[in-house]
Amino acid sequence: MATVLYHLGRVSFRWRWLVTFLWIAVLGAVGFAAAKAPTAPDDGFTMPGIESQKAFDLMEQRFPGAAADGASARIVFVAPNGEKVTAAENKKVIETLVGSAADGAQVSNAVDPFQAKAVSKDGTVAYSTVNFKVKADDLSDGAKKHLESAIEVARHAGLTVEVGGDALATKPAAGGSAEAIGIAIAAVVLLITFGSLAAAGLPLLTAVLGVGISMSAILALGTTFGLSETTGTLATMLGLACGIDYALFVVSRYREERAKGRTPQEAAGMAAGTAGSAVVFAGLTVVIALAGLTVVGIPLLTKMGLAAAGAVLVAVLISLTLVPAILGFWPNKVLSRGVRRNTKRSRKGTENNGGSRWARFVTRRPLPVLLLSVVGLGAVAVPMLGLQLGMPGDEAKPTSTTERRAYDDLAKGFGPGFNGPLTIVVDAKGTANAKTAVATIEKKIAATDGIVSVSTATFNQAGDTAIFSATPSTAPTDKKTEDLVTKIRDERPATESATGASFEVTGTTALNIDVAKKVQGALIPYLIVVVGLAIVLLLLVFRSLLVPLKAALGFLLSVLAALGAVVFVFQEGHGASLLGVETSGPIMSMMPIFLVGIVFGLAMDYEVFLVSRMREAYVHGEGAKPSIVSGFRHSARVVVAAALIMMAVFSGFIGAGESMIKMIGFGLAIAVFFDAFVVRMAIVPAILALLGDKAWYLPRWLDRVLPNIDVEGEALTRKHEVAAAAASASADRDGDGASAGVELTSVK
């Protein structure tokens, strides 16, 4: 492989104008297609195979049109201190608002709280639901302003008015600012690492180009494959981070080869053949981790994973072709000043640097470093034992949002469970008396401990299916609510056998519980598939049994520690206020999958880049411990820079307004920190030092079976050694001939 990529790098360098034009043409083509493509329909969140989804599907089948996805606004009224909403003056203000809201454009109906008995027992809180004919994204500005104006009138009259629902939902802060922060920090890190504006700017330029191509392709194919901007969030994040890192490694190796005295074209070829080989396999591990999200069985996650995998593939292709091409335009600009001036100091500066000094420290004390690192990560991972999964809702939003205040007011007025009622869907088809069967089920559920109230059942037109809601006494994210749902489902067989009718428990609360359980159940199979495939891939790269196993175990340590840190901050609330998180609660259900998938791919990046240089040194004759020092001498600085860039990109999302985005940003940033600086920089060299030559052991029979991919560029090295020897021999022959000529002349 190294030889093929070597020639690809040389060709890209030589035909730089053509390569650059082709990539710009690709960007223009997909950009044009994205601009012309219709907006992809929002297919919503679906989760095949869980009870809540089955109930939703039954509702859509038996109640056609009733499950329309029109926007809604739940307007919550709170009377001033010492007053009640039922007071004549307050009641008039509320009725005026409801009447005004009903007259708004795109409104289907507005419910009067006094007629619907939507008033708390103490009379201090009431709510009205305004339903719209269209989805929230399709609401006109005029319709929103009309409702907002009516709400402001009520507020000026003395009532506290807050709004929940999706019609007037507060939009989260745009991701562009987070990406801009990440890019700015990445630029500073690159500038410090390379000491050259051109070298720092090249990875940023190619990464942004790659993200532009990926996102344009996602938008262009949105209608065909059901992709949306949400699908592309992960693609943007990883495309940017991986794009910068992969280009960083190629440029760094190019500078190293130039410092050895190679010509620009030859250096570009060597960079593509060696660092490019590592980029290919690092990219493949990320793609495996992302494509493996299909195992989970969540359509949204599958789409996000495949879209992000495509973005990573684009980043790999750009680093192998466009980066060498751009190096061809400015072959000397990316070099440090010392190399451009051809000083001896610049060539010897890498013989003993921070990376080699750290490696010597670890290899002299491998056991204490290993024990301290493992114990430290284990201690950080302890809170993960209390991991509680869920889907944070309005209760997780800042108190500065009206949705959060509406949630709190409803909880005070109607109880904590009011914000998360359970929806019971009864299928009485085939029973002798559907109404009697439904009534029996209503009474049974109403008598369950933990249920506060049950609504009157609503039947479909055929009279064979009914829906009613049951309000728990505890909050939607409370562990007791999960136990309640489990209890109702466990007691279901006896009720169904007595009535002949079946029922399903659904609603947002039950859906979140089901999603959490499905994700937990899918985590182990996902780990087995992803880790198993990656071990096979690393076996091919390093031709060793122990190195891939060590890499996988190190990853598990870092991801468990990252989950422990997330639980410590976001679930237990320690230091949450420093991140702008006002309410602790369950961890987003998909967070473990995100961490496992994304961090595994990135962890293998660092493993491949760092250990491949050790393997390269070992293959070329250095001993076990000296090869560790050599690998760190050449790669540590760049791996540190790559990790800091990843952390910068992910940390930028901590400043987002949404708690879930904060959680993802924090989780990924802390996971990269643990994996890059503790696992790869401490645990990996310590284990390799303890194993010695055994680290690179591979049974002979397996060595014969495995294909020789030559990631280290051994073939390239032999080729250059042969060429150098031939040139030296030729020079000697020329020198001997010249000497003989001089002697003959003198004799004459």
Side-chain angles (χ1 to χ4, degrees), residues 180-265:
I181 293 171
I183 291 175
I185 298 176
V188 174
V189 173
L190 287 168
L191 189 58
I192 294 173
T193 303
F194 286 138
S196 163
L197 285 173
L202 195 156
L204 293 174
L205 175 65
T206 54
V208 170
L209 177 69
V211 169
I213 291 173
S214 302
M215 285 305 299
S216 297
I218 289 171
L219 294 176
L221 298 173
T223 304
T224 305
F225 296 104
L227 307 177
S228 63
E229 290 186 10
T230 303
T231 309
T233 301
L234 188 59
T236 301
M237 193 184 295
L238 285 181
L240 189 62
C242 291
I244 294 174
D245 276 7
Y246 295 164
L248 164 66
F249 281 102
V250 174
V251 173
S252 177
R253 189 60 184 253
Y254 172 83
R255 284 159 54 99
E256 185 180 324
E257 296 298 330
R258 286 296 307 277
K260 293 177 181 178
R262 300 194 192 279
T263 64
Q265 185 173 0

Side-chain angles (χ1 to χ4, degrees), residues 473-503:
S473 60
T474 50
T477 56
D478 196 311
K479 183 65 170 60
K480 293 180 180 178
T481 306
E482 180 182 345
D483 295 337
L484 174 63
V485 172
T486 303
K487 183 179 180 181
I488 292 173
R489 288 172 173 171
D490 289 344
E491 296 176 350
R492 177 169 46 194
T495 307
E496 290 181 340
S497 61
T499 60
S502 62
F503 69 89

Side-chain angles (χ1 to χ4, degrees), residues 491-560:
E491 296 176 350
R492 177 169 46 194
T495 307
E496 290 181 340
S497 61
T499 60
S502 62
F503 69 89
E504 311 281 356
V505 182
T506 185
T508 303
T509 301
L511 176 64
N512 291 339
I513 293 171
D514 291 346
V515 169
K517 288 183 177 179
K518 179 159 185 177
V519 169
Q520 283 178 315
L523 190 56
I524 299 301
Y526 176 62
L527 269 174
I528 292 173
V529 171
V530 172
V531 174
L533 288 174
I535 286 177
V536 171
L537 194 62
L538 293 177
L539 187 65
L540 295 174
V541 174
F542 298 123
R543 305 189 74 77
S544 161
L545 286 176
L546 297 178
V547 170
L549 292 175
K550 166 198 61 65
L553 291 175
F555 151 73
L556 289 176
L557 269 176
S558 60
V559 80
L560 290 176

Side-chain angles (χ1 to χ4, degrees), residues 214-215 218 227 230-240 242 246 283 286-291 293 300-316 594 598:
S214 302
M215 285 305 299
I218 289 171
L227 307 177
T230 303
T231 309
T233 301
L234 188 59
T236 301
M237 193 184 295
L238 285 181
L240 189 62
C242 291
Y246 295 164
V286 179
V287 169
I288 287 173
L290 294 170
L293 289 172
L300 178 62
L301 268 184
T302 299
K303 293 175 183 178
M304 291 181 72
L306 293 177
V312 172
L313 284 176
V314 170
V316 170
F594 270 125
I598 298 171

Side-chain angles (χ1 to χ4, degrees), residues 311-327:
V312 172
L313 284 176
V314 170
V316 170
L317 291 173
I318 284 179
S319 67
L320 296 176
T321 56
L322 184 60
V323 170
I326 295 179
L327 288 173

Side-chain angles (χ1 to χ4, degrees), residues 14-37:
R14 181 180 179 184
W15 298 95
R16 47 192 172 273
W17 285 104
L18 177 61
V19 172
T20 305
F21 172 77
L22 288 175
W23 277 112
I24 294 175
V26 169
L27 176 62
V30 293
F32 178 78
K36 294 294 183 181

